[in-house]
Amino acid sequence: MNRNEILSWLRENDENRLEELWRRADAVRQQHVGDEVHLRGLVEFSNHCVRDCAYCGLRRSHHHLQRYRMSVEEILTCAREAVEFGYGTLVLQSGEDFGITTNWVSELIRTIKRETPLAVTLSLGERDEQELETWKEAGADRYLLRFETSNRALFDQIHPPRAGKISDRLALLKSLKRLGYETGSGVMIGIPGQTFESLADDLEWFQELDLDMIGVGPFLPHPDTPLGQQGIIMQAVPEEQVPNTESMTYKVIALARLLCPLANIPSTTALATLNQAQGRELGLMRGANIVMPNLTPTKYRAQYEIYPAKACINETAKECHACMKMRILSLGRRIGTGRGDSPNHQPVSILVTYQQNSMI
Ligand code: SAH
């Protein structure tokens, strides 16, 4: 698919013509990753954050937010629940919290690996390459780090760097690949200032980075953030501004599937927040093959408010599990078994052998 085709699908608003995009994405999904929908148990284990991102409710300057950090025992309870529910993966997500040390995370990974068969996905923001390597050695399997937008000027505006540091998520993603992580990234859709051209660039980056996992969702304004208070930081020409709509999100999911057929693509909570009744299902019918039921204890969920009115905020892990399962089965799809690794991912050892052979 060339750039003009990407752009013209992004700009397409005719529901009948869009049916063609949905059909193609669904066929490619079925052919390359099949009918299984893999479940990833999500644990939002800390909402402390050193960053001041203009879009995110966890930002440091959001002083009214009550902060929490879960204990190892609380996280292990979630891990056991994941096993009980038949999930293959535990996703550990947090703000960029340096109260969470390298050793603490390593020990946590080792304990989960010793006590359960779960794959472990980390999503802890921008951490040093040395730490990422240590966690890989401790047994972490995957890392999620969205680059949010590939428009450098827009990114710098909405995601100020830490003092004395450069925030280069594209470079970090390349490091994660090199370290052997199954690597995931993605963007928000409809950030004020995001144009169709820049969203087409983002999609091309998914391909260029050879991502194993791609997560996208609509930008949802949070009232306690600069971007949520109409403090538009960058402005696009109105007809070039990407809308933060449900339809736009499906287009990006479908195009991501066509460009990266082997990637694991979730139908995200942000999408379910826009359409609680059917968002998850429609995502799964238009290219996605993953869902991420929330295992975070209910008492913490409301405090992990990256955006408001997040779907499933009052549900228990058990309710979330039952609901997801029912939605998947209602589509005639199957619940994934095993870890659900991305078929796009090649373990480093295989790559090394391949490179050695190709040098001979
Ligand atoms: N601290 C980690 C995890 C952040 S939360 C990190 O920075 O990678 C995970 C994702 O939520 C972010 O990458 C971002 O894409 C999304 N997100 C944050 N605020 C949002 C908002 N207001 N609307 C929609 N998505 C948002």
Side-chain angles (χ1 to χ4, degrees):
M1 175 171 293
N2 65 35
R3 189 179 175 86
N4 281 341
E5 283 174 283
I6 297 175
L7 272 169
S8 79
W9 279 123
L10 290 176
R11 292 197 162 106
E12 182 61 71
N13 282 321
D14 181 317
E15 279 300 328
N16 289 328
R17 274 198 294 250
L18 282 170
E19 285 297 330
E20 162 75 9
L21 179 62
W22 313 147
R23 201 189 48 70
R24 276 171 61 186
D26 199 42
V28 169
R29 185 271 308 154
Q30 193 188 31
Q31 190 188 342
H32 290 87
V33 292
D35 279 338
E36 289 198 329
V37 176
H38 293 283
L39 302 170
R40 317 299 200 199
L42 175 65
V43 186
E44 299 155 330
F45 70 97
S46 162
N47 70 351
H48 287 266
C49 193
V50 297
R51 306 300 287 251
D52 229 358
C53 302
Y55 48 88
C56 183
L58 306 189
R59 70 199 303 267
R60 189 182 65 204
S61 305
H62 186 193
H63 297 296
H64 306 307
L65 184 69
Q66 207 185 329
R67 307 280 171 170
Y68 71 91
R69 209 175 268 137
M70 285 168 62
S71 67
V72 170
E73 200 39 56
E74 283 175 310
I75 298 172
L76 288 177
T77 303
C78 296
R80 290 184 201 112
E81 229 168 358
V83 175
E84 186 190 320
F85 292 151
Y87 304 163
T89 300
L90 197 68
V91 181
L92 298 172
Q93 193 180 75
S94 67
E96 223 166 279
D97 177 5
F98 288 88
I100 292 170
T101 62
T102 317
N103 283 342
W104 187 88
V105 177
S106 298
E107 266 317 299
L108 176 64
I109 297 167
R110 282 201 195 92
T111 312
I112 295 170
K113 288 283 166 176
R114 195 170 51 237
E115 295 191 9
T116 75
L118 296 166
V120 172
T121 303
L122 302 177
S123 180
L124 317 185
E126 295 162 39
R127 305 287 302 225
D128 290 342
E129 199 167 327
Q130 188 58 52
E131 302 186 277
L132 299 172
E133 188 168 358
T134 306
W135 296 334
K136 186 81 191 65
E137 281 161 10
D141 300 280
R142 312 185 187 129
Y143 205 98
L144 300 175
L145 183 75
R146 291 188 179 177
F147 60 79
E148 318 293 2
T149 169
S150 60
N151 177 330
R152 186 75 227 184
L154 179 58
F155 182 76
D156 287 342
Q157 291 293 330
I158 64 171
H159 188 91
R162 281 194 287 144
K165 294 257 179 189
I166 298 168
S167 188
D168 190 344
R169 290 194 165 199
L170 295 173
L172 258 181
L173 288 163
K174 290 177 190 165
S175 303
L176 287 164
K177 277 237 136 190
R178 198 174 49 246
L179 291 170
Y181 279 96
E182 234 184 273
T183 304
S185 191
V187 296
M188 286 180 289
I189 297 160
I191 307 164
Q194 185 184 43
T195 62
F196 287 104
E197 290 283 348
S198 106
L199 189 53
D201 289 341
D202 298 345
L203 282 154
E204 289 179 340
W205 269 108
F206 294 168
Q207 219 173 11
E208 168 76 24
L209 290 164
D210 190 24
L211 294 177
D212 305 306
M213 303 173 282
I214 302 170
V216 298
F219 161 68
L220 299 167
H222 187 302
D224 294 304
T225 63
L227 272 187
Q229 291 155 353
Q230 293 310 317
I232 292 180
I233 294 174
M234 277 186 49
Q235 206 153 8
V237 187
E239 52 284 13
E240 286 304 314
Q241 170 66 49
V242 172
N244 59 341
T245 56
E246 198 187 335
S247 170
M248 201 61 217
T249 307
Y250 299 132
K251 290 186 222 176
V252 179
I253 290 177
L255 290 167
R257 171 59 66 205
L258 295 178
L259 291 163
C260 306
L262 294 173
N264 279 332
I265 302 180
S267 188
T268 56
T269 305
L271 178 56
T273 299
L274 281 189
N275 179 350
Q276 304 240 357
Q278 267 205 307
R280 291 236 195 249
E281 285 88 335
L282 288 169
L284 289 172
M285 290 163 72
R286 296 169 176 182
N289 69 321
I290 301 284
V291 292
M292 296 171 71
N294 202 326
L295 291 172
T296 311
T298 319
K299 64 175 173 179
Y300 296 126
R301 276 198 206 189
Q303 284 147 255
Y304 200 83
E305 193 189 51
I306 48 187
Y307 47 80
K310 220 168 122 196
C312 320
I313 205 147
N314 294 314
E315 283 181 20
T316 62
K318 202 169 185 158
E319 285 163 344
C320 212
H321 173 62
C323 166
M324 296 278 192
K325 207 168 146 185
M326 182 272 294
R327 287 174 191 267
I328 294 164
L329 298 176
S330 77
L331 298 173
R333 302 268 281 275
R334 293 193 303 276
I335 309 282
T337 52
R339 292 167 31 124
D341 292 319
S342 162
N344 190 58
H345 178 69
Q346 296 192 320
V348 169
S349 55
I350 296 178
L351 281 179
V352 170
T353 318
Y354 172 75
Q355 280 162 0
Q356 280 169 349
N357 287 344
S358 61
M359 275 190 281
I360 301 169

